[in-house]
Amino acid sequence: MVGVGGTTSATGYASPNDVGDYYLKSRGFNGLFSQIELSFSDSSLRDRKLMSKSEAMVVVYTKKERDGILSELFRSEVVLNSLNPKWIKKLTLSYQFELFQTLLFRVYDIDTQFQNSRDEMLKLDEQQFLS
């Protein structure tokens, strides 16, 4: 009724969207989103080392809509001696329909002195940016 200029129905819903939301929530869906899984690979990285190839790690950032500040979302493992790395770790996130979600991907060459460090402990400003 509301959609054609009537009043709210006996169920108390103010609009057809409320009915749709109630239907989805009653079946376990809390919004229009989907879980997605991202896999990462790169090709033809720049070779910046003389004795070996790059030890690459991908870092994913998300950009906040309000202030534009980048926030780190994910770090992969380090792939040793490869200019065409394929990372094993995957990123699972909620893709929200009709919302603009900015992701930024950066690949770093991890210096050999840090290779035995845990990935989450690496200081990225001490690593070489590749792409």
Side-chain angles (χ1 to χ4, degrees):
M1 282 302 284
V2 173
V4 293
T7 59
T8 57
S9 66
T11 60
Y13 298 116
S15 72
N17 285 339
D18 289 344
V19 173
D21 287 343
Y22 174 76
Y23 176 80
L24 291 171
K25 287 179 181 178
S26 69
R27 281 155 180 74
F29 301 106
N30 291 323
L32 298 176
F33 70 92
S34 180
Q35 293 284 25
I36 61 172
E37 183 177 83
L38 300 178
S39 300
F40 302 99
S41 67
D42 206 341
S43 60
S44 303
L45 288 175
R46 291 178 278 179
D47 193 5
R48 296 200 170 177
K49 295 188 176 181
L50 295 175
M51 302 301 285
S52 66
K53 295 181 174 76
S54 293
E55 283 76 31
M57 177 174 74
V58 66
V59 180
V60 180
Y61 299 90
T62 183
K63 188 175 185 181
K64 304 294 181 193
E65 285 294 319
R66 294 182 183 155
D67 52 16
I69 294 175
L70 290 177
S71 172
E72 187 175 317
L73 186 64
F74 171 83
R75 285 187 186 197
S76 71
E77 74 279 6
V78 177
V79 175
L80 301 176
N81 293 322
S82 178
L83 297 178
N84 301 301
K86 293 181 182 177
W87 290 276
I88 296 170
K89 262 175 96 174
K90 297 174 189 315
L91 169 62
T92 302
L93 58 93
S94 294
Y95 172 74
Q96 297 177 355
F97 296 95
E98 298 189 16
L99 281 180
F100 194 70
Q101 295 171 271
T102 303
L103 296 177
L104 177 68
F105 305 90
R106 291 185 176 164
V107 178
Y108 293 92
D109 183 9
I110 305 304
D111 196 3
T112 53
Q113 70 180 358
F114 298 110
Q115 287 179 1
N116 291 328
S117 301
R118 293 186 7 214
D119 298 332
E120 61 272 3
M121 301 303 289
L122 291 171
K123 294 181 181 178
L124 297 176
D125 56 347
E126 296 176 354
Q127 310 308 318
Q128 194 168 28
F129 175 73
L130 292 176
S131 65

